[in-house]
Amino acid sequence: QVDRFLYQLRLSDDVLLDVTARFQAEMLKGLGRDTNPTAAVKMLPSFVRSLPDGSEKGDFLAVDLGGSQFRAHRVKVFDDGKQSSQLESKFYPTPKEVTQGNGAELFDYIADCLSDFMETKNLKQKKLPLGFTFSFPCKQTKLDEGVLLAWTKHFRVRGVQDTDVVSSLRRALQKHQANVDVLALVNDTVGTMMTCGYDDQRCEVGLIIGTGTNACYMEEMRHISLVEGDEGRMCINTEWGAFGDDGALDDLRTEFDRELDLGSLNPGKQLFEKMISSLYLGELVRLILLKMTKEGLLFNGKVSTALLTKGKIEMKHVSAMEKYKEGLSNTKEILTELNLFPSEEDCVAVQHVCTIVSFRSANLCAAALAAILTRLRKNKKLLRMRTTVGIDGGLYKTHPKYAKRLHEVVRRLVPTCDVRFLLSESGSGRGAAMVTAVARRLAAQRRRLDAALAPFLLPPGTLREVRDKMRAELEYGLKRETQAQATVKMLPTYVCGTPDGTEKGKFLALDLGGTNFRVLLVKIKSGRRRSVQMYNKIFAIPLEIMQGTGEELFDHIVQCIADFLEYMGIKGARLPLGFTFSFPCRQASIDKGTLVGWTKGFKATDCEGEDVVDMLREAIRRRNEFDLDIVAVVNDTVGTMMTCGYEDPNCEIGLIAGTGTNVCYMEDMKNIEIVEGNEGKMCINTEWGAFGDNGCIDHIRTKYDREVDEGSLNPGKQRYEKMTSGMYLGEIVRQILIDLTKQGLLFRGHISESLRKRGIFETKFLSQIESDRLALLQVRRILQQLGLDSTCEDSIIVKEVCGAVSRRAARLCGAGLAAVVEKKRENRGVERLQITVGVDGTLYKLHPHFSRILQETVKELAPQCDVTFMLSEDGSGKGAALITAVAKRLHNVGQK
């Protein structure tokens, strides 16, 4: 008969898993901007963005309002490598006239108590940061601001709801002339998580199960649509006590739950809290015992005054009656004190009721906690997760069996989570100090990080200056008297025309410009069905050949050509060949190119100052297996322009933004003083990577740029390239990361062996890390691949560093390109220029933001130019064949 009464309170694991699913749905509703207003579980952002990392230190005050006593604390946090802290506290009563009075009286009382505490601790002369634990649902828009949504826990203070409680506290403190700086408003649940997080860095959930109940956890920012930004994490105060206020738990609520709710101070509100928190469990037991007695199942049907008196049975009675050994004797004693005169059977039945009521509480708490743990695991994309739950509250601490039951049920409901439950010592007070300490640490870190990255934020005025200096350097390179001293060499390519669609034939193309070398066969068809077909093979160039002798390098190239000709079955054919050679060359004609200097890690000896076409011919002669008609030596930038020019006749500029960087463009012959003739146009290979080698942009170079330059193969050379191209951006990032780690802003101040390795941070990692689609979890994985054990906060900083470096690169590149398009506009003498830029290079193609920022910068700095950017498909190989075809066509026209 007793069990008949209690049947509805017994919940199977299937029912609990269903509760877990319902709570997960409520969490999603609370996190969504559109659905939050109607959500019962409010999922309030706390603006606590980071857990303690052990580097916090200082002297802090904390005040704690939320229970039957008000508490003031002083917390000293020591940076002694042991993560130790010292807590001094004083407790003050919260009289009914304060908890049921008006707002001004409440905050005056808090300020009064704090002043008294500071006086007793001799702290009046110090200005200390303060954390305010306010254990009621608040809507926060920043860490030091919170608008009270509703009172709970028997507090009914007038004139406070819908106002900012931090402002009210500050006003009261000013009135009392308290020398205090309120830095953070914290919920007691968040305080619990932060306290435990200081002792165990795996702690990312806080749980209160006492007079009231609540949970908080660290949520990914990208899922919190209530707050701007999607980087990092933020602690969410679920306010789960209101779960079920919209009817989501009606099928699980018993007649006793409904009766208890109707008799409460806030009927229809905090229904989940009323089913599980200690404030209500004693009353629930009383209502059950009353009905059982009325039905003659207890106390011979005699209803005593105690059973009729609301609040007569408290949680302390329930806990005492459930004690392991002395439970029955306790039960008899408590019931006798309540004038119930129980029999032995009565005591057993009452104890049974207490057990079932508290067990249901633990079950429901476990089901909601299981929803949070499952969400955390899915956010992290883990099959199995180790985590810690920081926990506080009288029910958990003092009930003899509650903790064990809760742990067992959680582990059953989420077998994929290895959960440690860590009891919070003085959680909310010390936690508020921890939040304040973390906030202060983050603010100091932010200032130092901003200072480190400030030189990368080039304002519009600086970019205009770079554009104008680039323009001046272009002019120096074109003029006969200044060309020898010019850093931007403006090399004539002897490419005097772009494709007109009549090109046709079979051509070979070689492409040397990086660690890979390609040989291509290109078939060009003209006429209405014009097309370009390509066949190619890629060969590696080992480091020992890149940095060996010139003869070894060109012999290796010819070996690769022989392999390709054999592979294609065309070894006997004497085909015209275009040689894409992506290094600065001084040309005297289209088929002569004297190497000015190696770039991109090449160091082969006896090549600089030599004609690379002659060196290739010599190597072919040495092999004596085949002969080729070398028609043109071409820079990859020119190849890119020609490839896009084949599709769009308006394309007269080529840009490479990849491992290296360069620009070429069609210049009027009359402006090229170093070449005879004034008619027509010629493509100029600017070799702009050397811009700044004369010191003209030294004022924008950072200490990190200087480190990268000094450690490179060609110190003092290619300074613009070293600030804008893929070969160097990763290394700039590495230098910044080392500096920030030395400052203690990253990786807990520990410089790992891998971070010391030059070149470890490749530019492809920048592209991956900056991808908008990538969660910080994936950023951490990339860093782990590099041997960098990072926290979530580290990942945010690394992403920011990558963004600063790549944004500056794109902006500088855009400033240089703006100078070129403006020159083209003036050459044509038009008010508005329409022009296409052919672009190639991995940085432009693969980086998620580089191309957009580059284009925006050109638009900003050359507003009278409408620039279309056209991505080159296989620019350098196809381009070499097209240049060869155009050169053949122009040669034939000349002969005729």
Side-chain angles (χ1 to χ4, degrees), residues 16 46 94 166 355 614 751 802 868:
L16 293 177
S46 69
T94 43
V166 176
T355 300
D614 283 347
I751 300 175
C802 291
T868 302

Side-chain angles (χ1 to χ4, degrees), residues 621-641:
R621 268 201 291 277
R622 273 198 300 277
R623 191 171 181 91
N624 198 23
E625 274 185 29
F626 54 84
D627 198 11
L628 296 170
D629 175 18
I630 304 169
V631 173
V633 62
V634 184
N635 182 279
D636 55 348
T637 324
V638 183
T640 296
M641 181 188 77

Side-chain angles (χ1 to χ4, degrees), residues 134 136-139 146-151 160-165:
F134 186 75
F136 306 94
C138 281
K139 185 178 181 182
V147 173
L148 176 66
L149 295 177
W151 286 112
V160 181
Q161 202 167 320
D162 299 322
T163 67
D164 173 24
V165 294

Side-chain angles (χ1 to χ4, degrees), residues 50-81:
S50 175
L51 292 161
D53 71 354
S55 68
E56 291 76 16
K57 60 181 176 183
D59 207 346
F60 302 92
L61 289 171
V63 291
D64 187 350
L65 181 75
S68 53
Q69 290 180 310
F70 170 75
R71 292 176 290 177
H73 311 273
R74 179 194 188 176
V75 184
K76 284 183 179 176
V77 185
F78 303 104
D79 183 20
D80 55 4

Side-chain angles (χ1 to χ4, degrees), residues 4 32 37 126 139 266 346 354 451 513 617 705 805 848 855:
R4 181 168 58 82
K126 290 185 171 185
K139 185 178 181 182
N266 53 352
D346 289 339
C354 291
R617 284 186 179 129
D705 295 308
V805 170
Q855 290 173 29

Side-chain angles (χ1 to χ4, degrees), residues 693-756:
D693 288 5
N694 58 0
C696 69
I697 54 170
D698 274 5
H699 62 297
I700 63 166
R701 289 171 78 227
T702 65
K703 61 180 179 179
Y704 311 113
D705 295 308
R706 291 188 179 90
E707 288 271 0
V708 170
D709 180 35
E710 283 159 22
S712 69
L713 286 168
N714 54 351
K717 303 280 174 69
Q718 300 293 109
R719 288 183 182 176
Y720 182 65
E721 180 165 85
K722 285 171 186 168
M723 294 166 84
T724 56
S725 79
M727 188 165 186
Y728 301 98
L729 298 190
E731 186 58 17
I732 298 172
V733 168
R734 188 183 74 89
Q735 292 292 345
I736 300 171
L737 299 187
I738 286 174
D739 186 34
L740 296 180
T741 308
K742 282 178 182 170
Q743 291 185 48
L745 300 180
L746 271 178
F747 311 131
R748 298 182 186 86
H750 173 65
I751 300 175
S752 65
E753 276 311 305
S754 54
L755 196 56
R756 294 180 200 276

Side-chain angles (χ1 to χ4, degrees), residues 388-404:
T388 298
V389 174
I391 196 161
D392 202 355
L395 183 55
Y396 183 87
K397 285 178 174 176
T398 59
H399 189 284
K401 301 173 184 174
Y402 198 94
K404 187 168 182 278

